[in-house]
Amino acid sequence: MEQNKLTTTLLALDSLSIYRGLLDDEVLSRLKSLISCLNQATNEFRDVVNVYNNFYFELAKSGTVSLQEYIIDKIVFDENPFTFKPQAVQTSEYNNFLEKAVTNDLKGLQLVSKLTSGMLKAEITEIFDNNSYKTFIEALPDWVSECQPSKSPAHIQQIKELVSRSNHWDECLDELNHFYKNYGCGLFARYIAFVWEKSDGQGYLKGIDSPDPITLNELVEYQNERSRVIENTLQFLKGFPSNNVLLYGDRGTGKSSTV
């Protein structure tokens, strides 16, 4: 791997504007530190090994060992002026400037996603031309270049596959725009169900990975109770007077599921 390729990759990260928040991401910041470390070529071998494994640890901790998959996931769920745009009213001139910046970011992130462990290990070998290091360099863990199959909801899997199959990520701008318009961004694009949690006196919405798919039809012998709740809800939706509902019963009898 030539030194100028390392410099180009660093420039791609430094050039992020709309997706600049990704530079604070643990995995990508560790990757940037690793590339910077190799680009300087003045560090001790132990320092390089530590920085390499710090990056790999954060990537593996995220639940994937595919750098491309990780970066695409960050693109899809990032909260920035572009992902918020479908919910805001802006002038067309503003949109043009914004989308041009996003185009540049997507090109840069695609360049970064093409980094392979083999490329970096070859660079380490070239910098530290010492046979005593060979075994340690070969033992450095590898990551996957392509996206791996996931169990994401269909709409998320679809946009991720579309980006990963594209030769030019910047050409997926319209599809990303459509995704954000229909599903929002950040936490609300990733999950369809939430619970309200409290930690250190602060409340927050916590997404539920696998919400219970129970349906009203699965509540056996609750026809009368269900019908009264449904009737009252329909009254409310139609703007008619509605009554409050108090559901009572033993734990696990279907109160929450009915609601």
Side-chain angles (χ1 to χ4, degrees), residues 66-73 113 144-147 164 169:
S66 167
L67 180 59
Q68 184 189 89
E69 180 179 339
Y70 184 85
I71 291 177
I72 290 176
D73 184 83
S113 76
V144 181
S145 301
E146 301 82 16
C147 290
S164 68
W169 288 5

Side-chain angles (χ1 to χ4, degrees), residues 2-57:
E2 299 176 4
Q3 200 74 4
N4 65 340
K5 290 186 178 179
L6 290 176
T7 303
T8 302
T9 305
L10 279 176
L11 282 173
L13 288 168
D14 289 337
S15 299
L16 293 177
S17 55
I18 302 303
Y19 284 89
R20 195 162 188 80
L22 296 186
L23 295 178
D24 295 325
D25 175 77
E26 284 294 333
V27 173
L28 294 181
S29 63
R30 301 275 185 175
L31 178 61
K32 186 178 180 182
S33 296
L34 172 58
I35 300 170
S36 298
C37 185
L38 294 176
N39 199 41
Q40 295 169 5
T42 57
N43 295 278
E44 296 293 328
F45 181 70
R46 284 182 58 200
D47 295 332
V48 172
V49 170
N50 272 302
V51 176
Y52 186 104
N53 284 304
N54 284 340
F55 157 68
Y56 193 85
F57 172 75

Side-chain angles (χ1 to χ4, degrees), residues 187 194-200 202-207:
L187 187 73
F194 304 86
V195 291
W196 184 255
E197 297 280 3
K198 209 167 187 181
S199 177
D200 298 326
Q202 296 292 323
Y204 67 97
L205 281 175
K206 178 182 178 181

